[in-house]
Amino acid sequence: MLRYTQYVLAALLAFTLTLTAAGPAIGFVQASGEFRLNQAVTRGNGTLFDGSLIETSAVRSDVSLTAGGHLALAPNSKTRIYKDRAILESGSAEIAVSDYKLIAANLTITGSSAQVAVDSPTKIRVGALSSPVEVRNSGNFLLARLNPGHALEFDNQGGASGPVKLKGTLKCNKDGDKTVYSITDDTTNVTYEVQGKSLDKYCGKVITVNGSVVPGAAGAAGA
């Protein structure tokens, strides 16, 4: 009898630990139809904990975070929700959350109003809705700064090395005895320092730069 009692107590203790392991709720999800929450079929609404997995079906699901903010997950999307970030594995999502990250493949998207879609295994589409959005790769290199109403498509690697092509006005600013050359790309709205020969004659002109990002000097391109 003593052994049986000890076994029951141990089992109850393990069960209690399992229940409390999820931690506090970080929000809730609701939909007008069925969706899957942590692989369980759910209808109507459900409570979210850090790391909850949502898989939408024929209707979209709406996520409200306890800390404030909202995510709209399109039909046929798969997203893992954390208190400080969401990982979009497939489909598309719109976020309206301040100080929050949305991760798709190797890209990290920040901004309080953005739309992100995994169009294919190799293509990620990012759009800025009502406020600017920044897109960075896994090395935290700024790939694009999108103004409201603009969208770009990226490959799922988000690479910053290798050949790059930029177009914009070459700016030439004196820094003591040195001239610093820079260009803000018309497409990505990212500013790069340009290094090369005979750049003075292009100051103030719209030019196209073909070069490569210098390792260890993010935001610099060799002409």
Side-chain angles (χ1 to χ4, degrees), residues 153-179:
E153 189 175 76
F154 302 83
D155 64 59
N156 66 348
Q157 297 300 315
S161 60
V164 294
K165 185 176 182 179
L166 313 171
K167 183 179 179 180
T169 302
L170 183 67
K171 296 181 179 180
C172 308
N173 298 308
K174 285 290 185 180
D175 183 10
D177 296 331
K178 177 184 176 183
T179 301

mmCIF file of all heavy atoms in Angstrom, residues 153-179:
data_model
loop_
_atom_site.group_PDB
_atom_site.id
_atom_site.type_symbol
_atom_site.label_atom_id
_atom_site.label_comp_id
_atom_site.label_asym_id
_atom_site.label_seq_id
_atom_site.Cartn_x
_atom_site.Cartn_y
_atom_site.Cartn_z
ATOM 1 N N GLU A 153 10.109 41.608 -53.191
ATOM 2 C CA GLU A 153 10.226 40.154 -53.095
ATOM 3 C C GLU A 153 11.681 39.790 -52.841
ATOM 4 O O GLU A 153 12.589 40.356 -53.449
ATOM 5 C CB GLU A 153 9.738 39.494 -54.386
ATOM 6 C CG GLU A 153 9.627 37.980 -54.294
ATOM 7 C CD GLU A 153 9.031 37.374 -55.558
ATOM 8 O OE1 GLU A 153 9.783 37.305 -56.562
ATOM 9 O OE2 GLU A 153 7.842 37.007 -55.558
ATOM 10 N N PHE A 154 11.912 38.851 -51.937
ATOM 11 C CA PHE A 154 13.256 38.444 -51.559
ATOM 12 C C PHE A 154 13.394 36.935 -51.737
ATOM 13 O O PHE A 154 12.411 36.195 -51.662
ATOM 14 C CB PHE A 154 13.533 38.780 -50.085
ATOM 15 C CG PHE A 154 13.382 40.234 -49.747
ATOM 16 C CD1 PHE A 154 12.127 40.768 -49.468
ATOM 17 C CD2 PHE A 154 14.487 41.079 -49.700
ATOM 18 C CE1 PHE A 154 11.971 42.106 -49.149
ATOM 19 C CE2 PHE A 154 14.342 42.419 -49.388
ATOM 20 C CZ PHE A 154 13.082 42.926 -49.111
ATOM 21 N N ASP A 155 14.637 36.487 -51.951
ATOM 22 C CA ASP A 155 14.860 35.043 -51.924
ATOM 23 C C ASP A 155 14.942 34.612 -50.474
ATOM 24 O O ASP A 155 15.170 35.413 -49.567
ATOM 25 C CB ASP A 155 16.125 34.651 -52.694
ATOM 26 C CG ASP A 155 17.393 35.206 -52.081
ATOM 27 O OD1 ASP A 155 17.688 34.914 -50.911
ATOM 28 O OD2 ASP A 155 18.111 35.948 -52.784
ATOM 29 N N ASN A 156 14.736 33.309 -50.226
ATOM 30 C CA ASN A 156 14.642 32.846 -48.851
ATOM 31 C C ASN A 156 15.975 32.826 -48.124
ATOM 32 O O ASN A 156 16.022 32.590 -46.914
ATOM 33 C CB ASN A 156 14.004 31.454 -48.797
ATOM 34 C CG ASN A 156 14.875 30.393 -49.451
ATOM 35 O OD1 ASN A 156 15.848 30.700 -50.131
ATOM 36 N ND2 ASN A 156 14.520 29.129 -49.254
ATOM 37 N N GLN A 157 17.069 33.092 -48.812
ATOM 38 C CA GLN A 157 18.367 33.158 -48.158
ATOM 39 C C GLN A 157 18.644 34.556 -47.620
ATOM 40 O O GLN A 157 19.317 34.723 -46.622
ATOM 41 C CB GLN A 157 19.496 32.758 -49.134
ATOM 42 C CG GLN A 157 19.387 31.319 -49.614
ATOM 43 C CD GLN A 157 19.447 30.324 -48.489
ATOM 44 O OE1 GLN A 157 20.283 30.438 -47.595
ATOM 45 N NE2 GLN A 157 18.551 29.355 -48.515
ATOM 46 N N GLY A 158 18.133 35.566 -48.300
ATOM 47 C CA GLY A 158 18.347 36.934 -47.855
ATOM 48 C C GLY A 158 19.812 37.303 -47.805
ATOM 49 O O GLY A 158 20.274 38.029 -46.944
ATOM 50 N N GLY A 159 20.574 36.792 -48.748
ATOM 51 C CA GLY A 159 22.016 37.003 -48.716
ATOM 52 C C GLY A 159 22.410 38.444 -48.969
ATOM 53 O O GLY A 159 21.781 39.155 -49.731
ATOM 54 N N ALA A 160 23.468 38.882 -48.295
ATOM 55 C CA ALA A 160 23.955 40.246 -48.485
ATOM 56 C C ALA A 160 25.292 40.271 -49.179
ATOM 57 O O ALA A 160 25.773 41.316 -49.580
ATOM 58 C CB ALA A 160 24.077 40.936 -47.124
ATOM 59 N N SER A 161 25.924 39.112 -49.293
ATOM 60 C CA SER A 161 27.216 39.064 -49.963
ATOM 61 C C SER A 161 27.001 38.816 -51.449
ATOM 62 O O SER A 161 25.893 38.559 -51.897
ATOM 63 C CB SER A 161 28.070 37.960 -49.350
ATOM 64 O OG SER A 161 27.424 36.721 -49.493
ATOM 65 N N GLY A 162 28.078 38.860 -52.212
ATOM 66 C CA GLY A 162 27.963 38.634 -53.639
ATOM 67 C C GLY A 162 27.614 39.908 -54.376
ATOM 68 O O GLY A 162 27.567 40.985 -53.802
ATOM 69 N N PRO A 163 27.359 39.818 -55.671
ATOM 70 C CA PRO A 163 27.106 41.011 -56.484
ATOM 71 C C PRO A 163 25.840 41.744 -56.060
ATOM 72 O O PRO A 163 24.840 41.130 -55.699
ATOM 73 C CB PRO A 163 26.958 40.432 -57.899
ATOM 74 C CG PRO A 163 27.603 39.090 -57.839
ATOM 75 C CD PRO A 163 27.377 38.586 -56.447
ATOM 76 N N VAL A 164 25.902 43.067 -56.094
ATOM 77 C CA VAL A 164 24.717 43.887 -55.841
ATOM 78 C C VAL A 164 24.652 44.960 -56.914
ATOM 79 O O VAL A 164 25.668 45.365 -57.476
ATOM 80 C CB VAL A 164 24.757 44.548 -54.448
ATOM 81 C CG1 VAL A 164 24.687 43.521 -53.349
ATOM 82 C CG2 VAL A 164 25.991 45.422 -54.290
ATOM 83 N N LYS A 165 23.430 45.404 -57.201
ATOM 84 C CA LYS A 165 23.234 46.471 -58.168
ATOM 85 C C LYS A 165 22.392 47.550 -57.517
ATOM 86 O O LYS A 165 21.283 47.274 -57.030
ATOM 87 C CB LYS A 165 22.557 45.941 -59.434
ATOM 88 C CG LYS A 165 22.436 46.984 -60.544
ATOM 89 C CD LYS A 165 21.854 46.361 -61.813
ATOM 90 C CE LYS A 165 21.767 47.383 -62.938
ATOM 91 N NZ LYS A 165 21.232 46.781 -64.183
ATOM 92 N N LEU A 166 22.911 48.766 -57.470
ATOM 93 C CA LEU A 166 22.234 49.876 -56.816
ATOM 94 C C LEU A 166 22.025 51.014 -57.804
ATOM 95 O O LEU A 166 22.825 51.211 -58.708
ATOM 96 C CB LEU A 166 23.065 50.391 -55.628
ATOM 97 C CG LEU A 166 23.634 49.354 -54.657
ATOM 98 C CD1 LEU A 166 24.591 50.025 -53.688
ATOM 99 C CD2 LEU A 166 22.518 48.656 -53.910
ATOM 100 N N LYS A 167 20.960 51.767 -57.599
ATOM 101 C CA LYS A 167 20.723 52.951 -58.420
ATOM 102 C C LYS A 167 20.257 54.084 -57.527
ATOM 103 O O LYS A 167 19.347 53.923 -56.712
ATOM 104 C CB LYS A 167 19.672 52.683 -59.495
ATOM 105 C CG LYS A 167 19.458 53.881 -60.426
ATOM 106 C CD LYS A 167 18.417 53.583 -61.496
ATOM 107 C CE LYS A 167 18.211 54.790 -62.402
ATOM 108 N NZ LYS A 167 17.193 54.532 -63.448
ATOM 109 N N GLY A 168 20.915 55.235 -57.652
ATOM 110 C CA GLY A 168 20.542 56.390 -56.857
ATOM 111 C C GLY A 168 21.511 57.536 -57.096
ATOM 112 O O GLY A 168 22.388 57.459 -57.966
ATOM 113 N N THR A 169 21.356 58.597 -56.324
ATOM 114 C CA THR A 169 22.222 59.770 -56.454
ATOM 115 C C THR A 169 23.466 59.605 -55.587
ATOM 116 O O THR A 169 23.354 59.316 -54.390
ATOM 117 C CB THR A 169 21.473 61.046 -56.029
ATOM 118 O OG1 THR A 169 20.302 61.193 -56.844
ATOM 119 C CG2 THR A 169 22.367 62.262 -56.195
ATOM 120 N N LEU A 170 24.638 59.788 -56.192
ATOM 121 C CA LEU A 170 25.884 59.674 -55.442
ATOM 122 C C LEU A 170 26.104 60.948 -54.635
ATOM 123 O O LEU A 170 26.158 62.046 -55.183
ATOM 124 C CB LEU A 170 27.061 59.445 -56.383
ATOM 125 C CG LEU A 170 28.417 59.228 -55.692
ATOM 126 C CD1 LEU A 170 28.429 57.913 -54.923
ATOM 127 C CD2 LEU A 170 29.562 59.265 -56.712
ATOM 128 N N LYS A 171 26.240 60.790 -53.330
ATOM 129 C CA LYS A 171 26.509 61.916 -52.446
ATOM 130 C C LYS A 171 27.974 61.891 -52.026
ATOM 131 O O LYS A 171 28.523 60.831 -51.724
ATOM 132 C CB LYS A 171 25.600 61.858 -51.219
ATOM 133 C CG LYS A 171 24.120 62.011 -51.547
ATOM 134 C CD LYS A 171 23.278 61.981 -50.302
ATOM 135 C CE LYS A 171 21.800 62.158 -50.631
ATOM 136 N NZ LYS A 171 20.947 62.128 -49.414
ATOM 137 N N CYS A 172 28.592 63.070 -52.005
ATOM 138 C CA CYS A 172 30.007 63.184 -51.665
ATOM 139 C C CYS A 172 30.147 64.154 -50.499
ATOM 140 O O CYS A 172 29.887 65.352 -50.650
ATOM 141 C CB CYS A 172 30.812 63.676 -52.866
ATOM 142 S SG CYS A 172 30.535 62.708 -54.373
ATOM 143 N N ASN A 173 30.519 63.655 -49.337
ATOM 144 C CA ASN A 173 30.631 64.468 -48.134
ATOM 145 C C ASN A 173 32.052 64.442 -47.594
ATOM 146 O O ASN A 173 32.667 63.369 -47.495
ATOM 147 C CB ASN A 173 29.656 63.965 -47.060
ATOM 148 C CG ASN A 173 28.205 64.065 -47.508
ATOM 149 O OD1 ASN A 173 27.755 65.109 -47.939
ATOM 150 N ND2 ASN A 173 27.475 62.959 -47.402
ATOM 151 N N LYS A 174 32.565 65.601 -47.232
ATOM 152 C CA LYS A 174 33.904 65.702 -46.685
ATOM 153 C C LYS A 174 33.921 65.285 -45.213
ATOM 154 O O LYS A 174 33.076 65.692 -44.424
ATOM 155 C CB LYS A 174 34.412 67.133 -46.808
ATOM 156 C CG LYS A 174 34.828 67.543 -48.216
ATOM 157 C CD LYS A 174 36.117 66.821 -48.632
ATOM 158 C CE LYS A 174 36.603 67.319 -49.984
ATOM 159 N NZ LYS A 174 37.854 66.618 -50.393
ATOM 160 N N ASP A 175 34.894 64.464 -44.864
ATOM 161 C CA ASP A 175 35.141 64.065 -43.486
ATOM 162 C C ASP A 175 36.610 64.333 -43.206
ATOM 163 O O ASP A 175 37.459 63.451 -43.352
ATOM 164 C CB ASP A 175 34.797 62.587 -43.283
ATOM 165 C CG ASP A 175 34.959 62.146 -41.837
ATOM 166 O OD1 ASP A 175 35.156 63.025 -40.963
ATOM 167 O OD2 ASP A 175 34.903 60.919 -41.574
ATOM 168 N N GLY A 176 36.927 65.584 -42.871
ATOM 169 C CA GLY A 176 38.322 65.995 -42.749
ATOM 170 C C GLY A 176 38.953 66.055 -44.122
ATOM 171 O O GLY A 176 38.447 66.713 -45.033
ATOM 172 N N ASP A 177 40.063 65.348 -44.292
ATOM 173 C CA ASP A 177 40.736 65.291 -45.595
ATOM 174 C C ASP A 177 40.170 64.197 -46.491
ATOM 175 O O ASP A 177 40.609 64.046 -47.638
ATOM 176 C CB ASP A 177 42.242 65.060 -45.387
ATOM 177 C CG ASP A 177 42.911 66.215 -44.650
ATOM 178 O OD1 ASP A 177 42.411 67.348 -44.781
ATOM 179 O OD2 ASP A 177 43.906 65.977 -43.941
ATOM 180 N N LYS A 178 39.214 63.459 -45.973
ATOM 181 C CA LYS A 178 38.670 62.325 -46.712
ATOM 182 C C LYS A 178 37.283 62.645 -47.246
ATOM 183 O O LYS A 178 36.504 63.357 -46.622
ATOM 184 C CB LYS A 178 38.600 61.098 -45.800
ATOM 185 C CG LYS A 178 37.984 59.869 -46.431
ATOM 186 C CD LYS A 178 37.868 58.756 -45.402
ATOM 187 C CE LYS A 178 37.169 57.534 -45.990
ATOM 188 N NZ LYS A 178 36.995 56.458 -44.969
ATOM 189 N N THR A 179 36.976 62.135 -48.438
ATOM 190 C CA THR A 179 35.635 62.268 -49.001
ATOM 191 C C THR A 179 34.914 60.931 -48.864
ATOM 192 O O THR A 179 35.430 59.885 -49.257
ATOM 193 C CB THR A 179 35.679 62.668 -50.487
ATOM 194 O OG1 THR A 179 36.369 63.918 -50.621
ATOM 195 C CG2 THR A 179 34.268 62.815 -51.045
#
